[in-house]
Amino acid sequence: MEPLQPDTLIRNPYGAPVVASVVVDCEAPRLWGLVGQFAGFDAFIPALSHIEMTGVGVGALRTKIFHDGHCVVEQLNSRDEDAMRMTWTTIYNTLGVARLWAAMSVEALGSRRSRATWTVIGEPVEMAQAELETFVQAFADSALENVRRMLG
């Protein structure tokens, strides 16, 4: 019998990135203060009931509980406060997504305007890739529009 070897189910997804972006009439640090809070996405995503955190900083786990009962567990991969960017990976979900990687970044567009960009690469379990990409695009666009309304 072969000895057990290190293995993992986590791998990066393949596919075209889905990119959602919004320009807001506010300073970049203020925008980052909203979209850059890994534990705070329920502030601008109304479908979320709440978020439970395990740990802090890179490596922390975020469990997003949706009002409809769905659950998504994600791990914070990287975070750069000065550059205003972070990345995360979905490690468990009930949404039918096999693999998902995402990034959020904020850039200043002058002193009183800034842009938030949410990039997602995902692979579905059973639905068509195009269907997942359409869903993710609509979800991210809607969330960032909420951000614009909240801060603009």
Side-chain angles (χ1 to χ4, degrees):
M1 178 180 291
E2 298 268 334
L4 293 173
Q5 297 294 316
D7 59 356
T8 184
L9 295 175
I10 299 172
R11 72 169 176 78
N12 285 321
Y14 295 99
V18 173
V19 179
S21 184
V22 65
V23 173
V24 181
D25 290 325
C26 76
E27 304 82 6
R30 184 169 175 228
L31 179 55
W32 179 246
L34 180 58
V35 301
Q37 300 309 308
F38 191 62
F41 275 39
D42 52 343
F44 59 92
I45 301 175
L48 288 175
S49 164
H50 64 283
I51 292 174
E52 299 169 359
M53 291 297 300
T54 304
V56 293
V58 172
L61 300 180
R62 163 174 79 181
T63 302
K64 298 187 302 192
I65 309 297
F66 289 80
H67 289 291
D68 66 5
H70 281 292
C71 170
V72 176
V73 179
E74 298 166 321
Q75 183 175 44
L76 183 62
N77 298 327
S78 69
R79 181 180 179 82
D80 185 328
E81 200 65 35
D82 295 329
M84 294 184 285
R85 48 198 277 174
M86 66 179 170
T87 64
W88 63 93
T89 300
T90 297
I91 57 176
Y92 172 83
N93 71 89
T94 60
L95 297 171
V97 178
R99 278 165 286 288
L100 188 138
W101 172 90
M104 182 70 78
S105 63
V106 170
E107 63 181 309
L109 303 174
S111 62
R112 302 265 317 141
R113 282 173 58 94
S114 51
R115 175 184 294 120
T117 302
W118 192 352
T119 304
V120 179
I121 301 173
E123 292 178 19
V125 173
E126 293 180 2
M127 72 179 87
Q129 183 71 31
E131 185 180 349
L132 174 65
E133 291 172 5
T134 298
F135 169 78
V136 168
Q137 186 73 64
F139 185 87
D141 284 344
S142 173
L144 291 182
E145 178 58 24
N146 290 336
V147 168
R148 189 191 61 72
R149 279 197 300 267
M150 292 169 73
L151 299 178

